[in-house]
Amino acid sequence: MPRGDGLLTHELDPADAGPQDACGVFGVWAPGEEVAKLTYFGLYALQHRGQESAGIAVSNGRQILVYKDMGLVSQVFDEATLESLQGEVAIGHARYSTTGASVWQNAQPTFRPTAQGSVALGHNGNLTNTHELVQLLRERTAGDPKSAQAETATTDTSVMASLFASYRDRSVEDAALEVLPKVRGAFSLVFMDETTLYGARDPQGIRPLVLGRLERGWVIASETAALDIVGASYIREIEPGEFVAIDQDGLRSSRFAEAAPKGCIFEYVYLARPDTTISEQRVFSVRERIGRKLARTAPVEADLVIPVPESGTPAAIGYAEESGIPFGHGLVKNSYVGRTFIQPSQTIRQLGIRLKLNPLRDVIAGKRLVVVDDSIVRGNTQRALVRMLREFGAAEVHVRISSPPVKWPCFYGIDFASRAELIATGLSVDEIRRSIGADSLSYVELDDLIEATNVPGDNLCRACFDGVYPIELPDDDLIGKHLLELPANGTEPLKVIQ
C-alpha cells in the first residue's frame, strides 16, 4: 500500500493554516506488557498534537527496533507491525514539523548508535540555540572517521540525539545530563537506551510532560489524556528542569537546571485536549471559564450561542451559561474530510471551509448568532464562516474569540503564520471585524485568560499575545523551521553529522 507524503490538509480552510500543534510524545517501561500496543494507543490519544508522521521504538533489552513512517498513527501501524515490536521499554512520537521539513528522514523517534549500545529520542518543542549545538557537535566529532557521513535528518532533535551519542566514554544517561544544561528553548523529551526509559523537560516547562503509573510499570506522556487511554494513573508533572530515569531499579529523578516555569498559555486555549489536566487544571474547565468571562466583558443580544467545533465548544458552553442565551449546535463538523493524503482539486478547494463544516439551516435561519472560536490567525477561515452562516439565513453573526489577538509568532513549538501574515498585527479589532464581515467581534482580555487558567501569570508564556519571549532568541538568520536546510550567514548549511 503506498504511503502518503505528509502533506495533510487538516485545516478548516486549506488556504488558511491555523496554529499547528506541537508534537506528542509517549514512553513506557513495563516488562511483561505489550509496550508497543500501549505506545500505539498513547499516540492515538495524542494524535491532535501532530499528524505528519508517527513512530515507535521498542527495546527487548538487547537492541532497539524503530518503526516510523509518514501519516497518522492509524495509517502507519497495523496489528502485524505492532506484534513485531516486542520488548519491555518503548517510546513513541506523533509529529508536526516545527524544525525541518515534513519528510521521512525527519520522522521520530530519532535513532543513533552509541559506544555502549544505542539511543532513540522523541521531542516535543523547538530549540532556540540549535546553531550553537551544531557547532558543539562539530567540535565533538572532529577527527572521528564516522563524522564524514552527513546525516540526512534536518531537525533540532537529530542534533540532540547525535550529541547524546557523541560521548563515547559515557552512558546515555550521563551524556544526557552533560548535554541538557547546554540546550535552550522548549523541549519535553522521552528517550531510551536498551534498558531504560528517560524523560526531561526544559527549565521553563513550556510544553507539558506528565508521569503515570501502571500496575507493572511507568508511563511518560505529553498529556494526561494519554495516561487515561492506557489505564495509567496520573502521578505528577515532570518538573521544569527535571530529568527522570526508569529501569528495573525503579524511578530516579535529578535536576539539570533550576526551574523557571513559563508554561505555554496556548495549551489551555487550543493545543491540549479538553480532557487533559495541566497544572492541576482540567483544560475543559479552563475553556469554560474563558467563555464565562467573554460573556461578562462582551455581552450581546442574541438568540443562540454556537461553537466552531470542536475547540470552541467549551468556551461556547461557558458563554451560553453565563449570558443565559441558549447553546446550540449550528455547525456540523466532518472529522474525516481533510485527514487524508489526497489533495483536493482546485474545484473542491474552492469549497474551502465547507470541506469541514456544514451549517444546520433550520437551527440558524433567522437567528442572531454568537459564534465562539478559539483564535483568529489570518482571518480567512472566519471570513468564510461568517459568509456561509449568512448564506444559510443567519440574521446576525457576532464572533467571540476565546484568546486575545495573536500578534507574535511562536518559536517554542507552535507553527503560527509569520508576523506579517497575522491579521491582528496591522489591524484594530474593529478593522478585523469589518474584514471578516461580522456584526460584532470581541476577544477575551489577556488578564481574564490568565485568571481563567488559575496559574500565576508570571508562570505562563504569553509571547504570542504580548511579544515577551521568556527564552532569549538568536538573530533571525539563526532560527526558523528550515535552519538546518539553508545556508547560514553565507556558509555551508548546518548539516548534522553522525
Side-chain angles (χ1 to χ4, degrees), residues 196-208:
T196 308
L197 172 66
Y198 304 102
R201 196 173 177 202
D202 64 80
Q204 288 72 33
I206 289 179
R207 299 282 149 235

Side-chain angles (χ1 to χ4, degrees), residues 41-56:
F41 287 113
L43 292 180
Y44 202 86
L46 298 171
Q47 184 72 87
H48 61 288
R49 299 188 71 88
Q51 299 97 32
E52 292 184 358
S53 63
I56 293 176

Side-chain angles (χ1 to χ4, degrees), residues 5-45:
D5 58 9
L7 300 176
L8 296 184
T9 57
H10 53 80
E11 300 86 9
L12 290 180
D13 179 351
D16 184 24
Q20 300 304 314
D21 304 16
C23 303
V25 296
F26 186 91
V28 55
W29 183 91
E33 300 286 354
E34 294 182 290
V35 292
K37 289 186 177 179
L38 288 173
T39 304
Y40 171 86
F41 287 113
L43 292 180
Y44 202 86

